[in-house]
């Protein structure tokens, strides 16, 4: 294993220290393991909190800032944050209007965020929980009951964060977050496994001429393994799965994310996006907004995911609203 680290045990603490040094607009509590905005936040603003296992950077800490999250809770590598972390984050950023917890659908995350929500309610903090479950590759997998939460998390945090910034109430912010999740679908393909620092070896073996179709962001198995295809063939498979449900059809507009899983060069992601653009256009779908790059990663996995969200004028306007975070920034 070749990685830039001091010890496997210190990687999260060292990374949080680096995050704090690189981004003075963030307040990083290394003891509590909570990342939040360093500047003042308007009293009465609905707060957004998310989190999950580390190793998916920039998710979630890279999305803390104006127009997105108020706080994020990083767990150990691929391990849910504990309830005390989430509680500390929620109570720290509550401005009297309540807190929306955005939770990817993994068993540990769901249980720990649910417990934190109950503890926060006991302290007088009003909480709404939004579950993200956009991955259509499999219904149940190693880590989850139901669909996994993946790329749509970025869309949920961005659009709900924009609405909260504009002064919407708790139920309205939670409702738009749920709507974005309902309108989003994702699918991923892996060319190699990732290597966690603690394990020191790849999470699974994948022959040089094969790919894992429908892989999860922790290296969970997908639908099947098959021979490596062309970019055109891979995108066709992914879009067939993403569009199998009547969420997006001809004449619709969409927000599209072509996301690298950690070790895929940007040039290859643009090759994939070209295929996505071409194939969606052939179906009558217009890409209204897009992101291409590493947003929801899986350490050093070579692979990519495609997320598509049907977007109306309201969602596009919220998407375009100012945002200022380490990983997303425009309009400021």
């Amino acid at each position: 294993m070749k990685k830039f680290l001091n010890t496997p045990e210190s990687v999260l603490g060292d990374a949080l220290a680096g995050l704090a040094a690189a981004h003075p607009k963030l307040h990083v509590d290394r003891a509590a393991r909570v990342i939040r905005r360093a500047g003042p936040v308007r009293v009465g603003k609905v707060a957004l909190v998310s989190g999950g296992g580390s190793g998916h950077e920039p998710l979630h800490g890279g999305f803390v800032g104006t127009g997105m999250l108020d706080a994020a809770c990083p767990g150990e590598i691929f391990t849910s944050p504990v309830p005390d972390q989430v509680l500390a984050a929620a109570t720290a950023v509550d401005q009297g209007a309540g807190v929306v917890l955005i939770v990817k659908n993994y068993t540990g995350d769901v249980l720990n965020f649910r417990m934190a929500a109950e503890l926060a309610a006991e302290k007088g903090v009003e909480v709404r929980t939004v579950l993200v479950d956009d991955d259509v590759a499999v219904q149940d997998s190693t880590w989850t009951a139901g669909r996994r939460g993946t790329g749509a998390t970025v869309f949920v945090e961005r659009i709900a964060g924009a609405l909260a910034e504009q002064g919407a109430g708790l139920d309205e912010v939670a409702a738009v977050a749920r709507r974005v999740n309902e309108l989003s679908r994702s699918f991923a393909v892996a060319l190699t496994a990732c290597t966690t620092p603690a394990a020191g070896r790849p999470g699974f073996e994948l022959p040089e001429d094969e790919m894992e179709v429908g892989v999860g962001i922790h290296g969970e198995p997908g639908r099947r393994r098959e021979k490596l295809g062309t970019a055109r063939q891979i995108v066709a498979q992914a879009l067939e799965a993403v569009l199998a449900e009547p969420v997006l059809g001809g004449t619709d507009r969409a927000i599209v994310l072509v996301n690298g899983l950690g070790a895929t060069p940007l040039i290859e992601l643009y090759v994939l996006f070209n295929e996505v653009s071409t194939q969606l256009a052939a179906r009558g779908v217009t890409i209204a907004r897009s992101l291409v790059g590493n947003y929801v990663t899986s350490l050093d996995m070579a692979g990519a995911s495609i997320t598509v969200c049907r977007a109306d004028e309201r969602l596009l306007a919220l998407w375009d609203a100012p945002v200022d975070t380490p990983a997303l920034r425009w309009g400021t």
Side-chain angles (χ1 to χ4, degrees):
M1 178 180 71
K2 293 183 179 179
K3 290 184 178 295
F4 293 109
L5 48 80
N6 294 312
T7 68
E9 295 75 24
S10 70
V11 63
L12 178 54
D14 291 344
L16 290 177
L19 183 73
H23 300 289
K25 291 184 179 180
L26 300 181
H27 178 275
V28 181
D29 186 333
R30 293 175 60 190
R33 291 187 172 174
V34 171
I35 304 163
R36 57 183 174 85
R37 303 187 196 187
V41 178
R42 174 176 51 81
V43 174
K45 175 191 171 300
V46 171
L48 271 67
V49 175
S50 192
S54 296
H56 305 303
E57 290 74 19
L59 196 77
H60 292 273
F63 298 129
V64 174
T66 302
M68 287 192 82
L69 297 176
D70 292 271
C73 310
E76 291 291 341
I77 300 292
F78 293 175
T79 303
S80 172
V82 297
D84 285 349
Q85 279 179 268
V86 183
L87 176 63
T91 54
V93 300
D94 178 37
Q95 299 296 320
V99 177
V100 175
L101 300 180
I102 299 172
V103 188
K104 301 189 304 302
N105 187 32
Y106 296 95
T107 302
D109 288 3
V110 172
L111 292 175
N112 288 346
F113 274 81
R114 181 183 299 156
M115 185 176 296
E118 294 171 356
L119 294 171
E122 292 176 3
K123 291 180 175 292
V125 178
E126 195 171 2
V127 176
R128 300 290 183 272
T129 300
V130 176
L131 194 67
V132 181
D133 58 351
D134 55 303
D135 185 2
V136 299
V138 292
Q139 180 61 31
D140 298 289
S141 72
T142 311
W143 299 67
T144 184
R147 291 177 170 170
R148 302 174 293 215
T150 57
T153 313
V154 180
F155 295 168
V156 171
E157 292 176 358
R158 165 75 278 251
I159 291 173
L163 187 61
E165 212 73 55
Q166 293 176 3
L170 182 62
D171 287 329
E172 187 179 358
V173 173
V176 81
R178 294 188 182 105
R179 175 166 169 76
V180 172
N181 177 65
E182 291 167 358
L183 295 175
S184 300
R185 299 291 185 271
S186 296
F187 195 88
V189 174
L191 308 184
T192 69
C194 63
T195 299
T196 63
R201 60 182 183 275
F204 57 85
E205 295 296 327
L206 193 57
E208 290 292 327
D209 62 342
E210 292 186 1
M211 59 183 180
E212 186 80 28
V213 178
V215 72
I217 58 173
H218 306 97
E220 310 99 305
R223 290 184 171 186
R224 60 186 175 274
R225 287 185 180 181
E226 61 183 53
K227 294 297 182 182
L228 180 63
T230 66
R232 184 170 294 115
Q233 292 167 336
I234 291 169
V235 168
Q237 282 197 62
L239 289 181
E240 181 181 4
V242 165
L243 301 177
E245 300 176 17
V247 173
L248 188 70
T251 74
D252 281 331
R253 290 183 296 170
I255 304 171
V256 173
L257 166 64
V258 171
N259 170 66
L261 294 178
T264 305
L266 190 57
I267 191 170
E268 295 178 27
L269 296 179
Y270 279 117
V271 170
L272 292 174
F273 186 82
N274 176 57
E275 292 298 335
V276 172
S277 176
T278 300
Q279 295 183 33
L280 284 180
R283 295 170 180 260
V285 176
T286 299
I287 298 177
R289 305 289 186 274
S290 62
L291 290 175
V292 180
N294 288 320
Y295 294 95
V296 183
T297 60
S298 183
L299 291 172
D300 57 349
M301 180 182 287
S305 64
I306 298 169
T307 303
V308 177
C309 174
R310 177 159 58 90
D312 56 22
E313 288 294 340
R314 181 184 187 225
L315 296 187
L316 290 175
L318 290 168
W319 179 266
D320 291 340
V323 58
D324 186 4
T325 73
L328 284 185
R329 185 180 299 110
W330 59 71
T332 59

